[in-house]
Amino acid sequence: MKHPQINHKPTLALLLTALLLAQLAAAPALRAQAPETGAESPTPQAKRGTPSVAFGYQPEGMTMWDPWFVVHEGQVHMFHLQRLTNGSKRTAAEADHIGHAVTQDLIHWTEMPLTVGPGEKGGMEDMNPWTGCTVVKDGVFHLFYTMRGMRDASRSSYGGGGIQRIGLATSSDLIHWQRYPKNPVLTPDPRWYVHEGKPEPSNKVGCRDMKIVRDPAGDGWIGFYAATVPAEEEAEAACIAVARSKDLLHWEQMPPAFHPKRYGEVEAQDVFPLGGKWWMTCLTSHGHGNRGGFSDPNVVRGTIVAVADKPEGPYHEPAPGYAILGGDLTAGNTVSTVEFEGKRYAFFQEGQLLSPPMELNVSSEGRLRLMWSARQNAWRGESLLPVKLPAPADLLTHHTGGVTAGKWELAADGSYRGKSRTGWQVADLGFGAADMEVEATVTLKSGVAAGIVLRSDRSAPSAKGDFVFALDAKDACVFGASLTMFSPMNRRQFKVEPNRPYHIRLCARGSRYQLYVDGELILHGGFPKEFVRTQPGLGLFVDRGETLIEKLAVYQQTPSPAMAAKTK
């Protein structure tokens, strides 16, 4: 397996790393002592080390999900699950491995050699491994993953692999990985959890998605995994189990750290400190057997939040059913975080890509939030605003039947005022791009809703086929919807107060969008396939009311060159 050669200006750290890797390859005896290991994990020989230049990372020929991170020598290494995209030239054997990428700035990622794949056929881990975590101890990287085997048949949608276990692989260089020969290192404790001796009726045993943090009270570690407790109904069983370890090999299990008794499943958890508390995020959805868990009825799949005073818990939801991330089925999922350069950043699966980085903070009311990160400015290109803003005479007001409703005015200070007494209205601004970032301050002076429109064809006289993003005071939500029928619609609960200015930032990149209100990610998802931007443009929106839209800024979004790396 060839090592990637990073093609950028060398730094002392990188030179030392290269020297160290060369020494390790030439003299294995110099490597840090790992736990007793077995054979090196077989990894298909593949051409890797290629940079990603999309708006978000995607492995070559793969879609990805469930990322997790470890920081090493000023770089962030990401590991993730993956599967082949349609038409991919890569192999199924590659897709069955845990993927690996690296970055120096959280924007530009370079794909690295594959890590752990299935074990020997007929064993307890001959299926593709599932989600885990990576930590470093005494110079050795410990990659924990979910073991699954075809021999553990399940009478549920899992097929094989119904009985899950936590496995371990170690590495001294993040390239070569060896399975721990005494795997599994952890299985559910029968004192509290559904276990192999008495599985669920479908022959399933939940033991997956290991997440490990250092114990701040000592020199050990605290681990969390998705499990179930014996219960009559599914929503009463789902929990996050917790265990302690001194050496990452032997674990003392405890009662659940988080047992909400309101979700059919909680999984893909992350645990981290922020603002003097310990936080846990978990993925759940309607498809897990309970559609009554979210406090926002618009969410069908989302990431919920729990908080505790100690890392081991117990955790509780400060606002039951609150989803820090969620929406319709185009929305992203599986929030995973990393502390880097003094800030806590969050990522999630966004379609087939890794999302852009967002900052995490806690509001004055104690609510965990996903916030805009200035690191995304790396994609900001030239300003698209004309030197002279379109005057009212240049504005095209239109409705589905060709009858205009209301009017727009451009003030001397560059602000727009829109008014419509009886219906909704779109004003075309005559410029735009397919990939763009739009900033504005929107004040709904009165009425129902106001916002921004992405035009599919700015030469068209009708708004049919356009896509609107709006603050809606009547329905207390933020929504994105296709015009002219406002369907499909993706929306999240949000209280909109009349005469209050809201700073909005809309990022439209490729097939995805993100809408931030006052810096917080409120709405995100994927455009419908019908939204085809032939002559993309920008417009303004008002619905049965009066609005003020000011401080407009519009930028081209351009993927900047990634950290170049090639494998010969």
Side-chain angles (χ1 to χ4, degrees):
M1 185 181 306
K2 298 177 180 177
H3 292 239
Q5 296 177 343
I6 309 295
N7 183 19
H8 57 75
K9 185 177 179 180
T11 64
L12 178 60
L14 289 172
L15 290 174
L16 290 174
T17 300
L19 178 60
L20 176 60
L21 290 177
Q23 291 174 335
L24 292 175
L30 295 179
R31 298 186 181 185
Q33 292 298 309
E36 181 183 354
T37 56
E40 184 173 335
S41 175
T43 304
Q45 190 73 15
K47 180 182 178 182
R48 295 280 67 80
T50 53
S52 171
V53 293
F55 295 114
Y57 173 73
Q58 181 177 3
E60 180 184 344
M62 302 276 191
T63 180
M64 61 153 292
W65 76 102
D66 280 13
W68 68 89
F69 307 91
V70 65
V71 179
H72 178 59
E73 294 186 347
Q75 295 182 323
V76 176
H77 292 258
M78 173 179 63
F79 302 87
H80 57 82
L81 305 188
Q82 56 189 11
R83 66 170 63 94
L84 297 174
T85 57
N86 292 333
S88 175
K89 296 180 179 179
R90 299 183 67 174
T91 67
E94 291 178 275
D96 281 346
H97 281 67
I98 293 172
H100 179 196
V102 66
T103 182
Q104 290 181 320
D105 61 6
L106 305 184
I107 292 290
H108 306 120
W109 294 87
T110 296
E111 187 171 0
M112 300 292 281
L114 302 171
T115 59
V116 179
E120 294 182 1
K121 188 174 182 180
M124 65 174 62
E125 54 173 324
D126 61 357
M127 297 177 67
N128 59 307
W130 276 358
T131 310
C133 68
T134 306
V135 297
V136 61
K137 177 182 180 291
D138 300 330
V140 176
F141 298 94
H142 292 63
L143 191 157
F144 293 83
Y145 59 93
T146 304
M147 300 169 59
R148 304 186 306 131
M150 286 299 298
R151 72 182 194 180
D152 298 317
S154 170
R155 294 183 294 276
S156 69
S157 59
Y158 283 92
I163 296 179
Q164 304 159 356
R165 307 169 178 94
I166 303 300
L168 169 65
T170 59
S171 172
S172 297
D173 59 9
L174 288 164
I175 302 295
H176 304 90
W177 295 90
Q178 293 180 316
R179 278 186 171 84
Y180 180 53
K182 296 182 180 180
N183 278 336
V185 294
L186 190 147
T187 58
D189 191 320
R191 291 178 294 173
W192 295 291
Y193 307 110
V194 171
H195 56 94
E196 295 182 35
K198 192 175 181 180
E200 294 180 7
S202 62
N203 198 42
K204 174 188 168 186
V205 175
C207 182
R208 65 189 179 281
D209 304 346
M210 187 71 157
K211 173 66 180 180
I212 297 173
V213 300
R214 284 190 176 274
D215 185 351
D219 59 353
W221 306 80
I222 302 174
F224 305 83
Y225 66 92
T228 55
V229 300
E232 290 185 358
E233 296 196 6
E234 193 171 26
E236 298 169 338
C239 70
I240 301 299
V242 61
R244 290 182 181 274
S245 176
K246 291 291 186 180
D247 59 5
L248 295 176
L249 301 177
H250 305 92
W251 293 88
E252 177 190 354
Q253 299 193 48
M254 298 177 287
F258 180 48
H259 188 194
K261 300 180 182 180
R262 58 181 285 130
Y263 305 104
E265 203 159 63
V266 286
E267 60 180 354
Q269 71 283 348
D270 195 6
V271 178
F272 53 89
L274 188 67
K277 297 285 186 178
W278 281 86
W279 298 87
M280 178 184 289
T281 59
C282 302
L283 176 67
T284 189
S285 76
H286 287 181
H288 287 149
N290 180 5
R291 66 186 187 93
F294 297 115
S295 58
D296 184 343
N298 302 299
V299 177
V300 299
R301 179 178 60 197
T303 298
I304 58 172
V305 174
V307 66
D309 294 324
K310 300 180 296 183
E312 66 271 27
Y315 287 81
H316 70 277
E317 293 181 271
Y322 163 64
I324 188 174
L325 182 81
D328 65 12
L329 284 178
T330 71
N333 61 83
T334 313
V335 171
S336 185
T337 74
V338 61
E339 186 173 350
F340 184 61
E341 296 182 347
K343 293 183 178 180
R344 175 68 60 174
Y345 292 93
F347 294 86
F348 54 88
Q349 172 198 351
E350 189 172 32
Q352 297 186 350
L353 306 173
L354 179 71
S355 74
M358 285 157 234
E359 295 181 17
L360 274 172
N361 76 11
V362 181
S363 71
S364 58
E365 298 83 16
R367 185 168 58 90
L368 189 67
R369 305 183 296 176
L370 292 171
M371 307 296 291
W372 162 263
S373 170
R375 289 183 181 270
Q376 295 188 41
N377 287 338
W379 291 323
R380 181 179 287 181
E382 64 180 359
S383 172
L384 297 176
L385 276 179
V387 175
K388 182 180 179 182
L389 290 175
D394 299 324
L395 298 176
L396 176 64
T397 56
H398 46 82
H399 204 276
T400 183
V403 179
T404 60
K407 63 180 181 178
W408 284 88
E409 298 177 345
L410 175 63
D413 61 0
S415 63
Y416 290 94
R417 294 180 180 271
K419 182 185 297 185
S420 180
R421 297 189 307 276
T422 60
W424 61 268
Q425 174 208 61
V426 174
D428 183 88
L429 294 182
F431 67 92
D435 300 317
M436 58 181 171
E437 174 191 345
V438 182
E439 280 190 90
T441 299
V442 177
T443 304
L444 185 63
K445 308 295 287 186
S446 63
V448 175
I452 299 294
V453 172
L454 298 183
R455 301 219 59 207
S456 61
D457 183 357
R458 62 176 179 263
S459 67
S462 168
K464 185 176 181 179
D466 294 349
F467 203 87
V468 58
F469 296 91
L471 305 173
D472 190 315
K474 179 176 179 293
D475 290 338
C477 70
V478 172
F479 70 79
S482 294
L483 295 175
T484 57
M485 298 302 291
F486 293 84
S487 178
M489 177 182 285
N490 183 19
R491 66 182 191 172
R492 289 296 307 270
Q493 287 181 336
F494 187 88
K495 184 179 180 180
V496 179
E497 301 176 10
N499 289 307
R500 175 184 167 182
Y502 293 92
H503 176 269
I504 66 171
R505 185 191 305 268
L506 171 63
C507 298
R509 305 181 182 117
S511 63
R512 308 289 303 175
Y513 60 82
Q514 296 177 350
L515 183 67
Y516 299 82
V517 181
D518 293 336
E520 180 181 359
L521 180 67
I522 299 297
L523 189 74
H524 73 287
F527 292 112
K529 294 180 180 179
E530 296 75 18
F531 182 56
V532 179
R533 286 160 281 188
T534 54
Q535 295 187 60
L538 182 66
L540 308 176
F541 175 82
V542 65
D543 183 6
R544 290 164 287 171
E546 181 178 355
T547 187
L548 171 66
I549 298 179
E550 53 191 336
K551 300 177 182 178
L552 184 66
V554 187
Y555 301 96
Q556 176 80 48
Q557 293 283 276
T558 304
S560 46
M563 183 172 61
K566 294 182 180 179
T567 299
K568 295 182 180 179

